[in-house]
């Protein structure tokens, strides 16, 4: 809001929302006070009214560590609890890294409310991510793992002897044996199964059906049937399931132990990145070296990086020379020489020399901090394919309960099987069915895949970008600074009517006011030749055509043919022939005129990056069409296209028209990725299905595209698409196995094989199979940690 009228507009928009009693907007404090019926109006409705009026609502984001999650239904329970808070706009919970990503309005809800909601839902609020030390988080995780392992170990140690007693003749009367088993197994059963029953009770209290409810039913039925058999209440001594009840609970604990261990490894990449940040820095104050905590640094401080130490800040080298290992940030294996004037990134290592660095970015502003934040946010996102699993999980438990009940009814009442057999089928179905694998299929693969991308210097902003990138059919490359090095040099000067020195002097006087790479090339050439560069007045940029200015009282024009034609300036035939020759060689030609008369031409060449041609070849080998778009003239553009193997070249495109070219391809049904430098290509990057912005390691425009390449290497654009295909393939593989496992084993648990093969799926085996399914899915995702895209294999030989 920028005036009182804005406040009135917002107030009216809010007042017009149905069931809003009153709205009052304070322009001075940028706040709106709204009275409404929360049963009929949500915060989302109010935000929509504000946005529809053309304004924005200020929300905050927080990432909360959550403990005690077991399966996909836990995720849904916590998300529902958080979304029920009046100030929460969005809540996404990632089962793989055990974090809740919440967008909320701080004037309505606070983190304390979220803590209460999580705990009321029966889970642990462990704190805000980033505020918990790595040591504290590791200690909590280790304690949880130890608890699960102890419960499994004790359960297994007791259930095995009980099973032996059931199967081996001992001569002990059955009644005495039954009472003995009751006394021994009861405390062990409740110790081992306590977490399951506690979670089940919490779920029921919150009116939700979770897998813990099913597990509690399965193990509970086994134990209660054993007690009833012991005291001959309805059931007989045949129904002695004490060993089964304990073993079921023990195997459930084993599954959760193995799953928790595997899940703990999914976020290794982010931990490695976060661990790169130096904890202290050596600062020069009044000529003395002082060691300070990294949090106490301020922009402008001069810090010292000694051999073997990490550079603590992003900054500029003011003294010293050293080769710096940037592999952990850029993935580039060869250390780079840094000297006075070089830019360095915090977290990289000075290998052999001492550098004095002036801090330009500290704390959350550093490249490393931005990368960590981006990767964390991306790992918490859900690709659209996750909806399949979410929908399946919503229907899963009711369907399984129906199948379990049906199995019991069919076997006992319709087929005349024994109560023992019918109960075994009921328990097996309840225990073998599990949506955990389904719930872990997507988040574990996304978490590991995005983390792996970060290790390779490929930053993927969210899960949706992964899914869309996999389907790309056409890649459009910007030319200057993307396919080429972006630092062109003057190669030829042809004057007409003036000397070469005068031509270069006039052109440089005009071009020194421009930031265009071609303009900088002209100025560098003039400086290198020692030509005087005069002053220019009334400078004007003529978008996509060139520039004009007054030099020594005369108008000087520097630009392309279009600019000259619009001003009625014709060049001699001999000069025209040279222009065509230069353009056929792939050079860009600047035409210069003074006083409405031609003064000459300056040819400039921008060398191709070493990997441009190979990147194009690999994309085409993947069946992806490649297009180049440039503001250069047709001849120059075609020459460069021929050199690197691009057939389709779109030339003479003004900067604002690049997005239109992307849209034109999309309208023909193409899925388009645009690769640009992230500065002047922002509209095209935004228009593309996937924007791939190329960074330079030390200056990453993270907001530019859905995928950001830390290295200035086009092969990484290919690697990004290969990585997306790999991760999405792994997600589909995970979902397939999760579905296939349940589709195959639930009928087996229900006894479908018994009439044909006499096979009964014992509940203990069902519990072990359930554990194996989740561990299998997580392990498949963890295999992505070692994935190397084909395009990057040259770096890992």
């Amino acid at each position: 809001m920028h005036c009182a009228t804005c406040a009135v507009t917002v107030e009216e928009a809010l007042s017009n929302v149905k069931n809003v009693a009153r709205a009052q907007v304070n322009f001075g404090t940028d706040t709106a006070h709204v009275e409404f019926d929360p049963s009929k109006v949500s915060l989302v409705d109010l935000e929509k009214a504000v946005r529809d009026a053309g304004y924005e609502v200020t929300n905050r984001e927080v990432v909360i560590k959550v403990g005690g999650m077991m399966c996909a239904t836990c995720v849904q329970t916590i998300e529902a609890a958080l979304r029920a808070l009046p100030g929460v706009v969005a809540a996404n919970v990632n089962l793989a890294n055990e974090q809740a990503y919440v967008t909320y309005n701080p004037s309505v809800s606070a983190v304390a409310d979220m803590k209460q909601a999580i705990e009321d839902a029966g889970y642990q609020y462990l704190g805000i991510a980033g505020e918990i030390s790595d040591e504290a988080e590791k200690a909590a995780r280790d304690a949880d793992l130890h608890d699960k392992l102890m419960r499994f170990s004790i359960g297994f140690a007791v259930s095995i002897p009980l099973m032996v007693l059931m199967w081996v003749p001992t001569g002990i009367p059955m009644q005495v044996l039954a009472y003995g088993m009751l006394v021994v197994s009861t405390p062990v059963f409740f110790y081992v199964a306590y977490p399951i029953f506690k979670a089940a009770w919490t779920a029921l209290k919150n009116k939700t059906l979770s897998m813990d409810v099913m597990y509690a039913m399965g193990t509970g039925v086994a134990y209660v049937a054993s007690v009833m058999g012991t005291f001959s209440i309805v059931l007989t001594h045949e129904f002695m399931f004490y060993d089964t009840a304990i073993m079921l609970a023990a195997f459930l604990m084993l599954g959760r132990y193995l799953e928790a261990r595997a899940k703990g490894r999914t976020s290794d990449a982010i931990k490695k990145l976060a661990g790169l940040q130096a904890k202290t820095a050596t600062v020069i104050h009044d000529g003395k070296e002082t060691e300070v905590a990294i949090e106490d640094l301020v922009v402008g401080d001069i810090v010292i990086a000694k051999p073997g130490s990490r550079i603590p800040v992003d900054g500029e080298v003011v003294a010293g020379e050293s080769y710096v290992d940037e592999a952990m940030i850029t993935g580039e294996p060869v250390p780079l020489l840094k000297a006075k004037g070089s830019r360095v990134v915090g977290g990289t290592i000075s290998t052999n020399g001492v550098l004095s660095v002036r801090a330009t970015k500290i704390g959350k502003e550093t490249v490393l901090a931005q990368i960590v934040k981006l990767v964390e946010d991306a790992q918490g996102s859900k690709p659209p394919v996750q909806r399949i699993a979410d929908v399946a999980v919503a229907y899963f438990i009711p369907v399984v309960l129906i199948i379990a009940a049906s199995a019991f009814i069919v076997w006992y009442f319709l087929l005349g099987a024994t109560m023992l057999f019918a109960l075994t089928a009921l328990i097996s179905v309840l225990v073998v069915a599990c949506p955990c694998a389904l719930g872990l299929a997507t988040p574990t693969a996304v978490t590991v895949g995005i983390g792996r991308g970060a290790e390779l210097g490929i930053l993927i902003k969210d899960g949706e970008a992964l899914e869309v990138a996999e389907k790309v059919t056409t890649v459009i490359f910007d030319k200057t600074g993307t396919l080429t090095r972006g630092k062109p040099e003057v190669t030829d000067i042809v004057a007409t009517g003036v000397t070469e020195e005068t031509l270069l002097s006039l052109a440089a006087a005009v071009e020194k006011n421009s930031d265009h790479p071609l303009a900088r090339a002209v100025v560098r050439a003039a400086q290198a030749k020692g030509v005087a560069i005069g002053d220019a007045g009334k400078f004007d940029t003529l978008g996509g055509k060139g520039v004009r200015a007054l030099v020594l009282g005369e108008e000087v024009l520097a630009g392309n043919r279009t600019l000259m034609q619009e001003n009625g300036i014709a060049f001699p035939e001999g000069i025209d022939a040279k222009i065509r020759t230069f353009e056929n060689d792939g050079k860009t030609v600047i035409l210069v005129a003074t006083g409405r008369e031609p003064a000459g031409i300056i040819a400039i060449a921008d060398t191709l990056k070493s990997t441009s041609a190979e990147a194009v070849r690999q994309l085409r080998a993947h069946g992806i069409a490649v297009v180049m778009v440039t503001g250069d003239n047709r001849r120059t553009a075609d020459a460069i296209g021929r050199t690197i193997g691009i057939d389709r070249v779109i030339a003479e495109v003004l900067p604002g028209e690049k997005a239109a070219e992307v849209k034109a391809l999309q309208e023909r049904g193409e899925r388009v990725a645009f690769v640009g430098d992230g500065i002047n290509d922002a509209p095209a990057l935004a228009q593309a299905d996937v924007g791939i912005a190329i960074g330079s390691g030390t200056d990453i425009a993270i907001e530019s595209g859905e995928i950001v390449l830390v290295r200035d290497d086009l092969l990484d654009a290919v690697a990004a698409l290969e990585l997306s295909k790999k991760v999405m393939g792994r997600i589909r593989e995970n979902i397939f196995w999760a579905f296939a496992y349940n589709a195959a084993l639930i009928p087996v648990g229900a006894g479908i094989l018994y009439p044909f093969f006499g096979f009964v799926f014992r509940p203990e085996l069902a519990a072990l199979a359930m554990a194996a399914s989740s561990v299998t899915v997580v392990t498949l995702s963890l295999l992505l940690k070692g994935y190397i895209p084909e395009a990057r294999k040259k770096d890992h030989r």
Side-chain angles (χ1 to χ4, degrees), residues 738-792:
F739 273 121
Y741 155 83
N742 282 297
L745 292 189
I746 289 175
V748 172
I752 200 169
L753 296 180
Y754 183 73
F756 308 103
F757 305 104
F759 177 75
V760 180
F761 199 26
R762 289 194 59 79
E764 309 93 283
L765 293 176
L768 192 58
M770 182 281 300
S773 68
S774 295
V775 174
T776 299
V777 164
V778 178
T779 303
L780 283 171
S781 293
L782 287 172
L783 292 176
L784 290 169
K785 287 162 72 76
Y787 173 67
I788 302 169
E790 288 295 322
R792 286 291 294 271

Side-chain angles (χ1 to χ4, degrees), residues 344-514:
V344 291
V345 180
T348 56
I349 300 171
S350 175
T351 60
N352 65 325
V354 179
L355 295 174
S356 297
V357 179
R358 179 184 291 110
T360 56
K361 289 180 181 177
I362 58 172
K364 292 181 180 179
E365 300 302 315
T366 63
V367 166
L368 179 58
Q370 288 183 65
I371 290 174
V372 169
K373 176 73 166 64
L374 184 146
V375 174
E376 282 178 337
D377 290 347
Q379 289 181 335
S381 66
K382 289 185 179 181
V385 72
Q386 174 72 22
R387 293 180 199 133
I388 299 170
D390 289 344
V391 170
V393 167
Y395 292 101
F396 187 88
I397 295 174
V399 168
V400 170
L401 288 174
I402 291 168
I403 293 171
S406 300
F408 179 84
I409 291 166
V410 168
W411 281 115
Y412 188 64
F413 292 105
L414 300 182
L415 299 178
T418 63
M419 172 73 79
L420 179 63
F421 185 90
L423 271 178
T424 300
L426 170 73
I427 295 168
S428 293
V429 171
L430 289 175
V431 174
V432 79
C434 180
C436 299
L438 206 52
L440 288 165
T442 300
T444 53
V446 167
T447 300
V448 177
I450 285 175
R452 180 58 181 150
E455 290 176 339
L456 294 168
I458 300 166
L459 307 179
I460 300 166
K461 284 196 174 176
D462 54 42
E464 189 168 356
L466 274 173
E467 191 163 340
V468 176
E470 184 210 18
K471 298 170 184 171
V472 163
T473 57
T474 300
V475 173
I476 301 179
F477 285 105
D478 176 46
K479 180 181 78 73
T480 306
T482 303
L483 289 167
T484 63
R485 296 187 185 280
K487 194 175 180 182
E489 300 295 342
V490 171
T491 57
D492 304 273
I493 301 171
V494 180
T496 174
V498 296
T499 64
E500 285 188 7
E501 287 75 9
T502 302
L503 172 62
L504 194 55
S505 176
L506 290 170
V510 177
E511 298 284 20
K512 74 177 181 181
N513 297 290
S514 171

Side-chain angles (χ1 to χ4, degrees), residues 137-287:
E137 192 173 333
K138 185 176 184 301
R141 185 178 295 281
D142 289 346
D144 178 59
L145 286 171
H146 178 71
D147 178 69
K148 287 181 171 68
L149 187 59
M150 280 296 294
R151 290 179 195 274
F152 161 71
S153 301
I154 291 172
F156 201 65
V158 173
S159 62
I160 293 297
L162 289 178
M163 186 177 286
V164 171
L165 286 173
M166 288 296 296
W167 291 97
V168 177
T170 59
I172 303 171
M174 181 53 74
Q175 191 64 39
V176 175
L177 189 62
Y179 286 136
M181 283 187 168
L182 172 66
V183 171
V184 171
S185 63
T186 297
V188 176
F189 173 73
F190 283 104
Y191 168 71
V192 176
Y194 173 73
I196 299 165
F197 281 94
K198 182 186 173 188
W201 169 246
T202 303
L204 291 172
K205 200 167 63 173
N206 285 287
K207 299 176 182 175
T208 58
L209 277 176
S210 71
M211 284 312 300
D212 287 296
V213 173
M214 287 173 53
Y215 298 149
M217 288 172 66
T219 54
V221 166
Y223 178 76
V224 171
S226 302
V227 174
M228 291 172 71
T230 299
F231 294 102
S232 300
I233 304 170
V234 180
L235 305 178
T236 66
H237 287 150
E238 277 186 300
F239 296 85
M240 301 295 282
F241 287 125
Y242 288 119
D243 57 330
T244 299
I246 295 173
M247 195 170 283
L248 277 177
F251 276 138
L252 288 170
M253 285 297 112
L254 174 64
R256 289 178 180 181
Y257 169 78
L258 295 172
E259 188 182 304
R261 272 195 66 180
K263 280 197 306 187
R265 295 178 56 209
T266 59
S267 294
D268 281 355
I270 198 75
K271 289 171 187 169
K272 283 181 190 172
L273 283 170
L276 297 178
Q277 179 63 63
K279 301 292 185 286
T280 61
T282 303
V283 185
I284 300 290
H285 277 312
D286 301 324

